[in-house]
Amino acid sequence: MIEKQKLKAISGFPEWLPELRMVELKWLDTIRALFESYGYAPIETRAVEPVEVLLKQGDTDKEIYAIRRLAAEPGEVAEHALHYDMTVPMARYVAANMNELVFPFKRYQMQKAWRGERPQDGRFREFYQCDVDVVDVRDIPLHFDAEMPAIMFEALDRIGVGPTATKINNRKILQGYYEGLGIADAANTMRIVDKLDKIGPSGVGAMLAGELGLDPSAVAKILALTEIKGSDSSVLGAVEKLGVKSQTLEQGLHELGFVLDALKRFPTGAFVADLSIARGLAYYTGSVYETKLVEYPDFPTVCGGGRYENLVGSLINRRMPGIGISIGLTRIFWKMQKEGRIKPTRKSPSDVLVLFPRGGAYADVAATAQALRSRGLKVEMYHEDRKIDAQFKYATDKGIPYVWFLPAEAGAAHKVKDLARGEQHDADPLSWLPARLG
């Protein structure tokens, strides 16, 4: 017998009761429908990838779960690991199926990922992500840089999580700005700047000086860039006033301006340029996005993404740019549930419970249930000849809105009862439609 302690929840691996899982599935269906409305096609990649493939996403080795047999030989090294996100597996999938895919390849994935990080508020070891990306063998138009945050906004709006704020930047601005300052190690500079939310300007400044040996003037210029925020082209002018110039910087500013203009149709504050955003993963090369819940500003980022030039192509030695977003569904769902924003009322998807009449026949109950199912209803049948009160309680406890009575005698009518309204009337299983579904 397994110890009771081992049956309890494992931190970082959420399990929902049926009433919550039904809401989560509805969210998934809603987001899936949105992705498909934009023309993105579904794929599902395997749960494991070669370790060397996963490490292409950057400095994440400490959070990757390796896979080995329990009976592994001494000294045997893990060759595979659970995927950390959906972007790297997607890149491998595209590289493996180049000749069968139509480009630009527009795909979405809604799967679980695994990270070996310390579980805390909104951070899990196993979680759902909902990703949408486009990859091409040619340059990807800037239109997609605006479409990605638009999809992100619409998805969160449809599942009703309240107002969101998406911060937008462009890595070319950072790269070009650092080049203009004469900084050779732009990648590590971005990595440090990305810690701004965690350690603040003074901490970032100390790391830039200590790890990279930058002088106070360069550090001040870098921190000045991170302070620039806004929702229109005034942001571009603010960067130009800093007096740093490079061709890469100019290109990044142009791309950011295009995205901001394209997103003007959305509510004020939904999208803001924030030049402190870098995104930690190493493969991003252009536009980057991070989304927060406005009502919970201290809660971690719930969506993120950006443009990458070399992630897919690096696997097959061919240039294949891409851009995408990722929605942290489990993180959002957990927060909404914690805040009482999810109020499920049903523990079953059933529309109708067909009651078992006292002294009745199982075949009659089953036939009636099947007749109702054939018309698209979700129908449960009670499987025991028990008192009617017990059967009613079962329906009520599960939140099933209707109960169905078989005829008491030959030639009599079937009856259906709306439990919430207490209304009961004759009904034909071959034509009845519910007035409401709870």
Side-chain angles (χ1 to χ4, degrees):
M1 182 175 178
I2 297 177
E3 296 177 29
K4 189 174 181 180
Q5 184 68 25
K6 290 186 170 64
L7 300 177
K8 293 183 177 180
I10 300 176
S11 180
F13 293 83
E15 293 181 321
W16 309 120
L17 291 171
E19 55 266 36
L20 287 171
R21 176 60 173 158
M22 286 191 292
V23 176
E24 185 180 48
L25 287 173
K26 186 176 180 180
W27 281 23
L28 288 166
D29 288 342
T30 299
I31 295 172
R32 180 184 298 109
L34 175 68
F35 287 168
E36 293 185 356
S37 77
Y38 275 81
Y40 291 82
I43 67 168
E44 183 171 20
T45 59
R46 62 202 184 200
V48 300
E49 296 289 343
V51 170
E52 62 181 298
V53 172
L54 292 177
L55 291 179
K56 284 186 173 293
Q57 60 202 331
D59 185 21
T60 57
D61 56 304
K62 293 181 180 179
E63 297 182 354
I64 292 176
Y65 279 117
I67 300 292
R68 287 199 309 170
R69 297 175 299 124
L70 284 175
E73 298 294 331
E76 183 176 319
V77 178
E79 296 180 356
H80 298 92
L82 293 169
H83 57 228
Y84 175 95
D85 67 3
M86 303 301 160
T87 308
V88 171
M90 180 275 298
R92 190 270 312 158
Y93 176 95
V94 171
N97 294 281
M98 277 288 299
N99 296 330
E100 286 75 35
L101 300 176
V102 177
F103 292 95
F105 178 53
K106 298 171 61 176
R107 83 84 174 91
Y108 73 86
Q109 275 178 264
M110 306 173 74
Q111 289 181 237
K112 287 187 175 181
W114 296 267
R115 294 182 186 177
E117 60 183 359
R118 183 171 63 88
Q120 51 186 303
D121 196 22
R123 298 190 183 276
F124 300 91
R125 292 171 173 166
E126 179 182 62
F127 51 90
Y128 271 109
Q129 284 191 184
C130 302
D131 283 25
V132 58
D133 285 75
V134 57
V135 177
D136 205 349
V137 294
R138 303 179 300 147
D139 287 337
I140 295 176
L142 267 177
H143 303 121
F144 283 105
D145 292 56
E147 182 169 283
M148 291 300 160
I151 292 174
M152 187 187 300
F153 176 90
E154 291 181 41
L156 298 187
D157 184 59
R158 289 191 185 189
I159 60 177
V161 301
T164 59
T166 298
K167 297 178 180 179
I168 304 174
N169 197 3
N170 193 299
R171 294 268 287 232
K172 291 176 184 175
I173 294 175
L174 303 179
Q175 177 83 27
Y177 189 82
Y178 302 153
E179 289 175 358
L181 290 175
I183 298 172
D185 194 351
N188 271 323
T189 304
M190 279 188 237
R191 175 183 60 82
I192 293 171
V193 169
D194 195 49
K195 301 178 183 292
L196 194 63
D197 280 349
K198 297 179 181 178
I199 61 177
S202 60
V204 167
M207 287 186 69
L208 291 171
E211 291 189 22
L212 303 184
L214 300 184
D215 60 50
S217 174
V219 170
K221 283 282 192 179
I222 291 171
L223 293 177
L225 181 68
T226 67
E227 295 174 356
I228 297 176
K229 299 172 178 60
S231 57
D232 54 35
S233 58
S234 63
V235 171
L236 314 184
V239 177
E240 293 170 353
K241 288 179 181 178
L242 294 177
V244 179
K245 297 185 180 299
S246 78
Q247 186 175 350
T248 304
L249 174 60
E250 289 181 10
Q251 185 179 357
L253 290 172
H254 165 72
E255 293 177 2
L256 178 61
F258 177 89
V259 173
L260 292 176
D261 285 342
L263 296 174
K264 285 181 179 179
R265 60 190 175 91
F266 289 94
T268 302
F271 299 102
V272 177
D274 185 331
L275 301 193
S276 69
I277 299 300
R279 298 291 293 162
L281 296 176
Y283 49 69
Y284 291 120
T285 56
S287 297
V288 287
Y289 321 102
E290 289 188 357
T291 302
K292 303 267 285 186
L293 302 175
V294 172
E295 296 172 315
Y296 310 104
D298 296 329
F299 193 63
T301 298
V302 296
C303 303
R307 179 180 279 256
Y308 42 90
E309 294 296 324
N310 307 310
L311 180 61
V312 180
S314 66
L315 301 175
I316 53 174
N317 196 29
R318 176 176 181 174
R319 182 174 178 272
M320 293 188 68
I323 185 170
I325 61 166
S326 178
I327 299 172
L329 188 106
T330 298
R331 176 175 290 181
I332 300 169
F333 190 83
W334 178 86
K335 183 61 174 176
M336 295 295 102
Q337 188 268 337
K338 180 184 177 183
E339 298 295 335
R341 299 275 295 274
I342 297 174
K343 301 183 183 299
T345 58
R346 300 178 61 181
K347 299 178 183 293
S348 167
S350 301
D351 303 320
V352 185
L353 174 68
V354 179
L355 304 177
F356 201 120
R358 301 311 302 268
Y362 168 82
D364 293 337
V365 179
T368 300
Q370 191 56 36
L372 291 165
R373 287 190 200 106
S374 69
R375 303 183 52 254
L377 294 169
K378 300 169 187 174
V379 183
E380 193 169 340
M381 53 183 286
Y382 205 82
H383 287 266
E384 296 179 78
D385 182 353
R386 297 184 64 193
K387 291 181 179 180
I388 198 68
D389 288 349
Q391 299 187 48
F392 264 67
K393 184 177 186 303
Y394 178 81
T396 301
D397 288 348
K398 295 187 75 172
I400 301 174
Y402 293 94
V403 293
W404 193 278
F405 299 87
L406 271 64
E409 55 188 33
H414 291 249
K415 294 183 182 297
V416 64
K417 184 170 185 176
D418 183 330
L419 291 181
R421 299 177 180 176
E423 299 172 354
Q424 180 173 311
H425 54 81
D426 293 350
D428 183 345
L430 297 178
S431 61
W432 175 78
L433 286 174
R436 64 170 190 92
L437 290 178

